[in-house]
């Protein structure tokens, strides 16, 4: 599993194998965990349990990106995420913040968060500037269109080639703006049909061959319903695990998951199976 070490200069993350980014949405309307962490205590409890289960980092989000979600005003998003970020930074948790707003990114990084996860791929130059000035790495995700309308009629001539070209170009642009490091994410479910998502999952090696770590995030998404007939997002963790284990074997550095503990366990077992040497274990 990758290691994260706190050094006097900050966190040092070694991307070796695949790690877990635990999802923590403090929103009333996220598609699978909306309303579950409405109080600071509930959110902290969930974050601590994911950390204790071995998640490398926690991804805090205060605005749902599901298709058709209503935009959240800046003040409201800040009100949702900042107290939680401050508390978790105080507990030494490695923190990513899922936001599309440069103002939220700025406040989150000023409060001690470590990474910005922007589903718009840092297309706003102000977002690139904030990350660069604060010396924060960023996750660059591909999305066709906008969250509200992205699932209406996504179209690609060659989804793998187009998403790959977008990520390569955007990574170049973000790094050129002075952002110290990027993670790349094909953005499964963001302006993509089930066939597009499957094509990307089957071609992940093309992305993981890039010099940047790759994040894969299909946790509880509708693709699992399409593939296995699971209408309730709460019931989709087994399908999520199957897809994320596949992603890990294809070289993903990070999987974003609601069921963080189950992922840590499954990834450890898979890593032991795939490891080069004789299995070492305590009897
Ligand atoms: N998916 C969601 C949110 N953030 N970030 C990245 N990098 N990649 C993703 O695929 C991704 C993401 C959607 O999932 P969730 O947070 O569970 O739901 P909601 O957006 O409704 O809060």
């Amino acid at each position: 599993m990758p290691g994260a070490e706190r050094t006097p200069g900050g966190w040092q993350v070694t991307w070796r194998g695949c790690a877990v980014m635990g999802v923590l949405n403090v929103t009333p309307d996220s598609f699978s965990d909306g309303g579950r962490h409405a109080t600071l205590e509930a959110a902290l409890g969930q974050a601590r349990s994911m950390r204790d289960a071995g998640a490398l980092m926690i991804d805090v989000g205060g605005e749902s990106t599901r298709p058709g979600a209503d935009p959240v005003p800046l003040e409201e998003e800040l009100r949702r995420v900042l107290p939680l970020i401050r508390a978790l930074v105080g507990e030494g948790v490695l923190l990513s913040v899922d936001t599309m707003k440069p103002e939220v990114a700025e406040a989150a990084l000023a409060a001690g968060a470590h990474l910005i996860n922007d589903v718009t791929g840092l297309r706003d130059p102000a977002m690139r500037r904030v990350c660069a000035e604060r010396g924060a790495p960023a996750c660059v995700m591909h999305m066709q269109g906008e969250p509200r309308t992205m699932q209406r009629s996504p179209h690609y001539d060659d989804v793998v080639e187009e998403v790959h070209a977008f990520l390569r170009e955007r990574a170049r642009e973000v790094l050129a703006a002075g952002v110290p490091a990027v993670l790349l994410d094909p953005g499964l479910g963001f302006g993509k049909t089930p066939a597009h998502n499957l094509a990307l999952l089957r071609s992940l090696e093309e992305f993981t061959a890039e010099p940047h770590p790759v994040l894969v995030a299909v946790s509880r998404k509708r693709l699992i319903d399409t593939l296995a007939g699971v209408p309730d997002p709460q019931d989709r963790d087994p399908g999520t695990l199957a897809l994320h284990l596949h992603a890990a074997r294809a070289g993903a550095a990070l999987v974003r998951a609601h069921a963080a503990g189950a992922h840590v366990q499954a990834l450890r077992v898979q890593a032991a199976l795939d490891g080069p040497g004789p299995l070492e274990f305590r009897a």
Side-chain angles (χ1 to χ4, degrees), residues 103-192:
E103 298 89 344
V104 173
E106 167 63 29
L109 294 171
H114 306 95
L115 182 144
I116 295 301
N117 175 23
D118 174 12
V119 298
T120 69
L122 287 87
R123 65 173 78 147
D124 183 344
M127 188 63 112
R128 304 200 281 274
R129 209 164 38 241
V130 166
C131 292
E133 283 172 8
R134 291 270 170 197
C139 178
V140 175
M141 196 195 82
H142 175 273
M143 165 165 48
Q144 189 177 81
E146 308 289 331
R148 282 172 72 83
T149 54
M150 64 192 176
Q151 290 306 105
R152 284 200 189 142
S153 50
H155 172 80
Y156 302 83
D157 291 326
D158 180 337
V159 66
V160 175
E161 178 44 39
E162 287 169 47
V163 171
H164 197 176
F166 170 94
L167 289 178
R168 253 195 314 248
E169 173 51 23
R170 193 47 67 80
R172 194 198 56 69
E173 195 177 11
V174 168
L175 292 168
V179 178
V182 291
L183 283 137
L184 303 183
D185 178 353
L188 299 161
F190 284 86
K192 293 165 187 95

Side-chain angles (χ1 to χ4, degrees), residues 56-68:
L56 177 72
M57 70 176 84
I58 307 291
D59 188 39
V60 171
E63 177 174 25
S64 173
T65 60
R66 77 187 154 72

